[in-house]
């Protein structure tokens, strides 16, 4: 069985063959598999974020340098389960250079969505991007000061943790 065939089988984990194979594994092997699955899931959702940001950047009017990175800040959400920190579904900053802005700095140009605008912003935001950001936040919850950087030339999405200056 090659990699593609294995991936196709694993894509339907409720299929009898896959279920039987999983049941024959030892608990240690299942634990190891669970770790790998979470890491693979995280990477898959990161790639969705990268592809959606790339599509957004490609749709922007040309005229200057090509955007190379997008940054997402965190937002607090209240739910029945309590307060959670999620990735803000709005593109916080799209930069045309390699410098990493400190998005806590008020001099950085960032689009701020105020409560009255939230309904409108939810309508125009990319639902696939929102879903991917939400899934990433569930798999690896961000901290208050974290920023998610999407770097288009390397096709990478990774978290930058800022520490508050004391």
């Amino acid at each position: 069985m090659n990699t593609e065939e294995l991936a196709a089988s694993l894509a339907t984990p409720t299929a009898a063959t896959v279920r039987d194979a999983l049941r024959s594994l030892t608990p240690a092997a299942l634990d190891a598999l669970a770790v790998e699955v979470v890491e693979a899931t995280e990477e898959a959702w990161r790639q969705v974020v990268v592809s959606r940001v790339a599509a957004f950047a490609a749709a922007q009017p040309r005229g200057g340098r090509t955007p190379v990175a997008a940054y997402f800040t965190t937002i607090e959400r209240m739910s029945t389960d309590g307060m959670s920190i999620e990735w803000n579904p709005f593109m916080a900053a799209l930069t045309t250079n390699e410098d990493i802005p400190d998005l806590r700095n008020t001099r950085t140009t960032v689009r701020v969505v105020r409560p009255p605008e939230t309904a409108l912003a939810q309508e125009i935001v990319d639902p696939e991007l929102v879903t991917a950001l939400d899934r990433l936040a569930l798999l690896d919850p961000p901290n208050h000061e974290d920023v998610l950087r999407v770097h288009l030339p390397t096709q990478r999405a990774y978290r930058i943790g800022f520490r508050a200056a004391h």
Side-chain angles (χ1 to χ4, degrees), residues 11 25 36 54 59 68 73 76 79 104 116 120:
L25 295 175
E36 291 300 320
V68 294
T73 54
E76 285 186 354
S79 69
R104 296 168 302 154
L120 173 64

Side-chain angles (χ1 to χ4, degrees), residues 79-166:
S79 69
T80 54
D81 297 332
M83 185 70 72
S84 65
I85 301 173
E86 299 174 6
W87 294 115
N88 193 329
F90 314 110
M91 203 155 292
L94 193 58
T95 180
T96 56
N97 60 39
E98 289 293 327
D99 297 333
I100 299 172
D102 182 348
L103 295 178
R104 296 168 302 154
N105 188 328
T106 56
R107 290 176 305 214
T108 301
T109 304
V110 176
R111 172 152 166 42
V112 177
V113 178
R114 306 216 185 288
E117 296 177 274
T118 302
L120 173 64
Q122 289 289 6
E123 289 173 18
I124 61 172
V125 80
D126 183 337
E128 287 180 59
L129 178 61
V130 173
T131 300
L133 290 170
D134 289 347
R135 293 294 296 143
L136 277 179
L138 280 173
L139 290 164
D140 185 16
N143 294 316
H144 278 283
E145 297 292 334
D146 288 348
V147 171
L148 183 67
R149 181 180 195 226
V150 178
H151 189 247
L152 297 174
T154 60
Q155 297 290 291
R156 286 186 60 215
Y158 53 95
R159 198 158 75 182
I160 303 167
F162 288 105
R163 301 219 185 276
H166 295 286

